[in-house]
Amino acid sequence: MYGKTICIIVFFVFLIASYSIYMGTVDPTPYFSQLPRGISSSSSPCNSTTGQPLRVFMYDLPRKFNIAMMDPRSSDVEPITAENLPPWSQTSGVQRQHSVEYWLMASLLHGGDEAVRVLDPESADAFYVPFFSSLSFNTHGKNMTDPDTEFDRLLQVELMEYLYNSKYWQRSGGRDHVIPMTHPNAFRFLRQQLNASILIVVDFGRYPRDMARLAKDVVSPYVHVVESFREDGVVDDSTPDPYDSRSILLYFRGNTVRKADGKIRRHLEKLLAGNSDVHYEKSVATTQNIKLSTEGMRSSKFCLHPAGDTPSSCRLFDAIVSHCIPVIISDKIELPFEDEIDYSEFSVFYSVKEALEPGFILDNLRQFPKEKWLQMWENLKNISHHFEFQYPPKREDAVNMLWRQVKHKIPNVKLSVHRNRRLKVPDWWL
């Protein structure tokens, strides 16, 4: 009798549960979420939203587009590998600041945390175009009117013909192609033909809005030219106080004759003159002057970063690796990795209007609390490794940070490519 009663109760419980699931009042998913499930590597159509590294196909361009500019004896007989890649010259001086294109290429040859090279283009999330456009501008002609710049133009023409014939460029309209252009004049002849691609730029100073913008492009740091400040991290009673040991309040060493927003440098030179705690010196980037800048930044509490010919300059990143608090005066500057890094935690910002007010900057910096400076200095030391370009690449360094930024762009790239395939009236909503 009891067995019959139990069977009836179980039957009614099962009946009620089945009805609840059918009507949607009970979600059984949580009860089964802990059960082991098979996971297929192809289960997600977009790897860029997972923890997997970005899969990058790198075009095998003739060496005249890249490392032959570093070593004219380089031959196309063998493919470029991690073993035969020439090191970046330690005596390249100011050209080093625009060498992002080299470090991105080197990272793919070696392999990194955020991006891996794939040899099958069908499996790629993005396509890297290893044309050293910044080095090409610096190598082929000394100025914009030099006849030698014709070779730079011809390289750009040949490259675009190559890309237009690539089915992978045709497939996406170049949207998933990554192209570094960190020199303001890089790819200057045909850059309008790249307005759909993911551009690696240091700012948007010389790009029209229909070509370069934060939504699709990646802001890169300049490659710093001063030597990084390596502290041993050992702190005891004999360790000099970092605030008191930096005797210069505000430091600037660089060219004071600049275009566009960089004209503020001449005004600042006059405003800051005659102050014993300020070092403001006109200088050009020679090997000796870079050494002097290294020493000066390490001896200063604050390092001044006014705009140059474009809103940003290498000086900001020289200050960061020198552990000198940046003072940024550039109303239109864009900063690298800003979705992950809060620059206000280790930098001081002034508008151009504030900076041109006599005494405003110095009054603020002289009253800057020591405790706040020390906290910003600690913050600065903690993030400075994100601005190191090196080979082989290291976890969370500048190259890996850049590839992660590219990875963030891929979902929008895929959205744009997929929409474009089906729309009869492209971007009808604009």
Side-chain angles (χ1 to χ4, degrees):
M1 178 177 178
Y2 290 108
K4 184 176 182 181
T5 303
I6 292 173
C7 289
I8 293 173
I9 293 172
V10 170
F11 173 76
F12 276 106
V13 169
F14 176 78
L15 184 65
I16 293 170
S18 300
Y19 180 75
S20 298
I21 293 173
Y22 175 77
M23 294 301 293
T25 58
V26 173
D27 180 10
T29 305
Y31 301 99
F32 298 96
S33 61
Q34 302 303 316
L35 293 179
R37 289 177 289 180
I39 299 177
S40 169
S41 60
S42 60
S43 61
S44 172
C46 182
N47 247 11
S48 61
T49 59
T50 71
Q52 299 298 317
L54 184 71
R55 298 167 299 191
V56 183
F57 177 83
M58 179 165 61
Y59 285 101
D60 186 17
L61 297 178
R63 296 192 184 192
K64 65 182 179 181
F65 288 99
N66 39 65
I67 65 172
M69 300 179 209
M70 303 168 58
D71 180 7
R73 298 167 299 178
S74 182
S75 170
D76 284 320
V77 174
E78 296 180 351
I80 304 171
T81 65
E83 288 71 31
N84 63 24
L85 178 72
W88 186 268
S89 172
Q90 296 300 312
T91 60
S92 60
V94 73
Q95 287 190 6
R96 176 179 168 83
Q97 66 181 321
H98 301 299
S99 61
V100 173
E101 52 208 14
Y102 168 84
W103 302 104
L104 288 172
M105 180 182 186
S107 73
L108 291 177
L109 292 173
H110 181 273
D113 297 312
E114 298 293 339
V116 293
R117 184 185 185 188
V118 294
L119 301 180
D120 177 10
E122 293 293 342
S123 66
D125 299 312
F127 295 78
Y128 182 63
V129 182
F131 172 42
F132 291 0
S133 59
S134 295
L135 186 58
S136 181
F137 176 81
N138 283 324
T139 302
H140 304 125
K142 302 301 181 184
N143 55 59
M144 299 283 279
T145 59
D146 194 314
D148 288 346
T149 59
E150 177 64 9
F151 190 78
D152 182 28
R153 188 189 71 82
L154 292 176
L155 282 177
Q156 295 172 37
V157 170
E158 185 177 344
L159 176 65
M160 292 313 303
E161 291 177 353
Y162 178 91
L163 291 175
Y164 284 153
N165 288 323
S166 164
K167 78 171 187 177
Y168 300 103
W169 177 278
Q170 296 171 9
R171 185 176 68 183
S172 69
R175 291 177 179 87
D176 52 5
H177 283 54
V178 180
I179 302 177
M181 296 194 301
T182 55
H183 192 289
N185 297 318
F187 225 113
R188 67 187 179 98
F189 294 103
L190 300 179
R191 61 170 56 171
Q192 286 285 357
Q193 298 182 33
L194 304 171
N195 60 1
S197 300
I198 302 173
L199 306 181
I200 310 292
V201 299
V202 291
D203 58 41
F204 300 113
R206 293 190 182 173
Y207 298 92
R209 292 186 179 182
D210 63 345
M211 179 182 178
R213 52 196 177 275
L214 278 176
K216 75 171 185 70
D217 300 317
V218 172
V219 177
S220 169
Y222 283 88
V223 181
H224 63 82
V225 297
V226 305
E227 186 178 345
S228 297
F229 191 17
R230 307 293 185 188
E231 296 168 287
D232 58 17
V234 177
V235 179
D236 54 32
D237 292 339
S238 64
T239 304
D241 182 288
Y243 183 87
D244 295 332
S245 64
R246 291 176 176 249
S247 57
I248 302 171
L249 176 69
L250 183 62
Y251 184 87
F252 174 88
R253 184 185 184 92
N255 200 326
T256 58
V257 180
R258 298 281 83 177
K259 305 171 186 176
D261 291 345
K263 293 177 181 178
I264 191 177
R265 295 187 181 189
R266 294 295 296 271
H267 297 293
L268 290 172
E269 184 178 21
K270 296 175 182 178
L271 287 171
L272 298 173
N275 292 279
S276 60
D277 54 355
V278 175
H279 183 103
Y280 197 101
E281 181 180 356
K282 182 178 180 179
S283 174
V284 294
T286 64
T287 301
Q288 179 60 27
N289 285 338
I290 289 173
K291 290 181 180 179
L292 292 173
S293 291
T294 301
E295 296 169 2
M297 288 185 169
R298 295 181 184 184
S299 303
S300 304
K301 295 177 177 68
F302 298 95
C303 287
L304 189 62
H305 173 73
D309 287 340
T310 63
S312 64
S313 78
C314 184
R315 186 168 292 97
L316 169 59
F317 308 101
D318 287 344
I320 288 174
V321 300
S322 300
H323 302 165
C324 180
I325 305 299
V327 175
I328 299 174
I329 305 171
S330 181
D331 292 343
K332 299 176 183 177
I333 194 170
E334 293 296 341
L335 298 168
F337 323 136
E338 206 164 3
D339 58 338
E340 301 186 55
I341 295 175
D342 183 355
Y343 283 77
S344 67
E345 293 183 349
F346 57 85
S347 306
V348 180
F349 292 85
Y350 296 113
S351 67
V352 170
K353 182 179 179 181
E354 289 172 331
L356 293 178
E357 184 179 333
F360 183 84
I361 292 179
L362 289 183
D363 288 346
N364 275 265
L365 296 182
R366 285 168 179 163
Q367 298 171 26
F368 204 89
K370 177 178 179 179
E371 294 74 17
K372 184 177 180 180
W373 185 92
L374 288 171
Q375 183 58 62
M376 295 181 80
W377 180 72
E378 288 290 347
N379 295 339
L380 184 57
K381 291 196 299 177
N382 290 336
I383 58 86
S384 62
H385 64 285
H386 294 311
F387 301 91
E388 296 290 353
F389 289 86
Q390 54 209 338
Y391 184 82
K394 295 182 181 179
R395 184 174 178 80
E396 299 290 310
D397 68 1
V399 165
N400 276 304
M401 294 286 283
L402 283 172
W403 283 124
R404 191 152 74 217
Q405 292 293 308
V406 172
K407 186 178 178 181
H408 294 168
K409 305 296 181 182
I410 298 303
N412 278 340
V413 167
K414 291 184 180 294
L415 171 64
S416 180
V417 170
H418 295 168
R419 286 185 73 251
N420 192 60
R421 288 174 183 169
R422 56 91 177 168
L423 286 178
K424 301 300 182 182
V425 182
D427 293 333
W428 56 267
W429 47 272
L430 291 178

